[in-house]
Every structure is written in structure tokens, then in C-alpha cells.
Amino acid sequence: MCTFRTALLTAFAAVLITACAYAQDDLSKVLSQMDAASQKFQSAQADFDWDQYTAVVQSHETQAGTIAFRRSGRNVEMVAHVKTDNGQPAPKDILYKNGQLTFFQPAIKQQTIFSAGTNRQQYEGFLTLGFGGSGKDLAANWNIKYEGTEAINSIQTAKLDLTPKQPGSNQMFSHITIWIDPARSVSLKQQFFQESGDSRTALYTNIQMNSVPGSAFALKIPSGTQTVRR
């Protein structure tokens, strides 16, 4: 016997199924746009604002500067020039190239070099998330939840929440949310969440496409700089 409650629950279920179907269609469209854009992507540069939130002390540390990415086949390069820490001048340079991360601190004339080793693919996935990657690559590595659209700096973005397909103790982040312009396959905003409650928010503005020279992906290390390898 069909009751009002049964009919109502059936109606709600039908609406939910329809909404999920629309969301899946929208996600498929976004990923297809990213696939097309990734074929044209060569490089990108942008201004950034990073905000690191530490939950245990409820504090924020901010950094601002410029960043650039380049892709050539499966190879990925990234260079960032930090200009300020918490609003104060504090220049630092970060270069990722050929599976190696170099962190240069001119104030103390020291460069620290980290090797990605066997974690190269994972590190590159985090470093360049939302900059030139294809929808297929994104879907291969992440469980993706489509959370609608949102305008950032007057640009309509798709909001995607990502959880790793292979969760485990070695994962750096519990989930990541990105606001991506699928037509260019670039992120305008990213949030990285850790189990501890800590999070990192990145905002990217003044994005310029396919105009970064190869010479930008090299650091000018002065003589007398101490090198530390990790």
C-alpha cells in the first residue's frame, strides 16, 4: 500500500538520482574540456598568494610572489619566486626540474636540494595540480566530486573536490579542492587539507599562457652559496 511518506521518499530519491546524473554529466564535460586544453598547454605563469593555516595554534602564515609551470610531454618543471613572508620582504626561490627540488635562500646563501626519488610522480602531481594536466590524468589519480561552478575574479570555474584513490598513511593530504578554468586547464584557487586540521590555500592571478621562456626555469645561484642535499 502506497502511503504519502513512501511517495515522498520516492520523489526525493528520483530528484537525488537526477541531480547526481546532471553532476556526472557536468563533471564529464569539465574533464573533456581539460583534455582539449592540455593538448595546447605549454606553459603558464601567475602571481600567487599562499596561506598556510596551522590548526593547533590557529595561526596563518602568508607568502606572495610569482610562479611558472612548463610541460613537455610527461616532463614537468616549476619555478616559484617568493617575494614576501607575512607582508615583509623575504626573497626565496624554488625550482623543480628533472625530479629534483631546489630551495634557495639568498639571505643565508644556501641552497637545499631534495630528490623526489621513487615519489617523483606523486610530488609532480601535487606541484602542478591544475596547471596543464588532462582530465584523464586527474580522473586516473583522484576520486573527483563535482561541486558546481563558482566565479573567481570574474572567471567561471568548476569546483572539484579530490580525494586520493589510494589513501594511506603516506598521503600528504586527506583531500584537495580546486577551482579550475577548464577552458585553459589552470587552477585559480586550491585548498589542501590535512588530517591534523592544517590547510593551505593558494590563489593565482594574472595568469598568462604559453609565454614563459625556457630560461625562466633556472636559478641564478651566486658563487659561495652553500649546498645541502637531502
Side-chain angles (χ1 to χ4, degrees), residues 98-115:
N98 298 326
Q100 182 172 279
L101 182 73
T102 301
F103 178 51
F104 174 51
Q105 299 166 277
I108 61 173
K109 294 192 72 174
Q110 177 176 299
Q111 63 171 339
T112 305
I113 300 175
F114 302 85
S115 175

Side-chain angles (χ1 to χ4, degrees), residues 152-191:
I152 296 181
N153 295 327
S154 301
I155 298 173
Q156 199 70 8
T157 68
K159 184 179 179 182
L160 308 178
D161 191 69
L162 313 175
T163 54
K165 284 198 168 181
Q166 296 181 339
S169 58
N170 63 333
Q171 294 292 340
M172 290 185 283
F173 306 103
S174 57
H175 71 110
I176 301 171
T177 303
I178 62 174
W179 288 256
I180 197 159
D181 175 5
R184 296 182 293 172
S185 193
V186 294
S187 293
L188 276 69
K189 181 179 178 181
Q190 303 167 339
Q191 285 187 309

Side-chain angles (χ1 to χ4, degrees), residues 101-164:
L101 182 73
T102 301
F103 178 51
F104 174 51
Q105 299 166 277
I108 61 173
K109 294 192 72 174
Q110 177 176 299
Q111 63 171 339
T112 305
I113 300 175
F114 302 85
S115 175
T118 58
N119 295 316
R120 178 171 179 171
Q121 185 176 359
Q122 180 187 17
Y123 291 161
E124 289 183 359
F126 286 128
L127 283 171
T128 62
L129 185 64
F131 279 89
S134 69
K136 290 179 181 177
D137 287 342
L138 197 68
N141 296 308
W142 303 90
N143 297 309
I144 308 172
K145 180 182 178 183
Y146 179 77
E147 296 189 341
T149 60
E150 187 174 325
I152 296 181
N153 295 327
S154 301
I155 298 173
Q156 199 70 8
T157 68
K159 184 179 179 182
L160 308 178
D161 191 69
L162 313 175
T163 54

Side-chain angles (χ1 to χ4, degrees), residues 8-74:
L8 189 61
L9 289 174
T10 301
F12 277 146
V15 170
L16 181 60
I17 291 170
T18 301
C20 289
Y22 278 128
Q24 190 60 42
D25 287 344
D26 288 337
L27 175 59
S28 296
K29 181 180 178 181
V30 168
L31 297 181
S32 293
Q33 286 180 289
M34 290 178 64
D35 285 338
S38 69
Q39 296 298 315
K40 304 174 185 177
F41 186 97
Q42 298 172 10
S43 64
Q45 60 186 358
D47 297 331
F48 70 77
D49 288 282
W50 294 336
D51 184 339
Q52 179 68 46
Y53 173 69
T54 303
V56 68
V57 291
Q58 298 184 6
S59 68
H60 291 265
E61 294 183 10
T62 61
Q63 294 180 314
T66 61
I67 195 166
F69 300 88
R70 182 170 68 162
R71 287 178 180 267
S72 177
R74 304 297 296 181

